[in-house]
Amino acid sequence: MQRPDAEVVVWVHGGAYVGGSLRMAESHAVATDLARTGRPVVAVDYRKVSFLPLMLPKRRIRPHRNNFPVPVHDVLDAYLDTAGRYPGRRIVLGGASAGANLSASATIRAAGHRPAGLILAYGAFHVELPPIPAALQASIDASSVRRQFTADVYRRITMNFVGDASLLDDPEASPATASAGDIPPTLFLDAEADTLRASSELYAERLDREGVPVTSTFIRDSSHGFLNRPKADPYPNGVAVMRSWLDDLP
């Protein structure tokens, strides 16, 4: 049963900007489990960027269909539409992986209409993969996960998203470089063995220094995309963190 005083959650799936859908667990399962808390949840899809194989020889990736900022506009439109359909209700925006980046970027564009909170699950917020801290590298080395986002793959995904290197300096394509002024209380939820944690934790540290209320945590024994695997233990642990954070949101 919906709680009339509860926040409305707008949730955005991942997929490296080129894939994913409302049918994937990272969208449907997460939205369903959050809705069981009595909160209305709006699961958002967005236009996908054309896919250029990451294993092609290195070259400048030319602009193609649905590059940045098209997916950001789609998420922002869905957020503003939800706010209009729930007047007077607090809206929390969030997403996983690419959806986390799009949610952070949409928040920056929503000047004057910022959400009440932001949930960012294992996202990438810089145009280049930051150096991997020793503690994170130790977690990766101790895990069985060998397929990671390398600096090269990270760069190619970013270039595929923006389509033109001139856009790499746009702070809305790289939320970690944008002003923190419009960022609400934020939950950073990461996987233990995931190189993208380097970007997430660096962004969380910066927001914390600039006075944004930040909760930053990772799920033990997890890897990137754990919210897309509901039958594995990290999934319910991650959803529980989100529920608890929402319950405590000022």
Side-chain angles (χ1 to χ4, degrees), residues 60-64 67-68 158-165 167:
R60 179 179 179 275
I61 297 178
R62 300 182 182 281
H64 49 290
N67 287 101
F68 169 84
T158 301
M159 283 298 297
N160 194 59
F161 175 46
V162 299
D164 192 300
L167 294 173

Side-chain angles (χ1 to χ4, degrees), residues 40-61:
V41 179
V42 178
V44 176
D45 205 359
Y46 48 89
R47 284 171 285 182
K48 307 303 187 298
V49 177
S50 301
F51 176 66
L52 295 181
L54 298 179
M55 298 311 293
L56 288 176
K58 293 180 181 179
R59 58 184 175 83
R60 179 179 179 275
I61 297 178

Side-chain angles (χ1 to χ4, degrees), residues 7-130:
E7 304 84 8
V8 180
V9 179
V10 178
W11 181 253
V12 188
H13 67 78
Y17 311 106
V18 300
S21 73
L22 296 177
R23 294 185 297 273
M24 69 190 296
E26 193 175 75
S27 176
H28 179 71
V30 173
T32 299
D33 283 330
L34 292 179
R36 289 194 176 106
T37 67
R39 296 177 172 89
V41 179
V42 178
V44 176
D45 205 359
Y46 48 89
R47 284 171 285 182
K48 307 303 187 298
V49 177
S50 301
F51 176 66
L52 295 181
L54 298 179
M55 298 311 293
L56 288 176
K58 293 180 181 179
R59 58 184 175 83
R60 179 179 179 275
I61 297 178
R62 300 182 182 281
H64 49 290
R65 183 168 56 87
N66 295 338
N67 287 101
F68 169 84
V70 171
V72 179
H73 286 162
D74 289 346
V75 172
L76 178 59
D77 287 347
Y79 163 71
L80 294 176
D81 178 74
T82 301
R85 289 191 289 118
Y86 291 90
R89 296 282 287 272
R90 298 198 304 168
I91 313 295
V92 172
L93 179 59
S97 197
N101 177 289
L102 297 176
S103 296
S105 294
T107 297
I108 295 167
R109 286 184 174 242
H113 301 279
R114 80 172 193 169
L118 193 57
I119 300 175
L120 304 177
Y122 45 80
F125 308 102
H126 300 79
V127 295
E128 303 279 0
L129 181 66

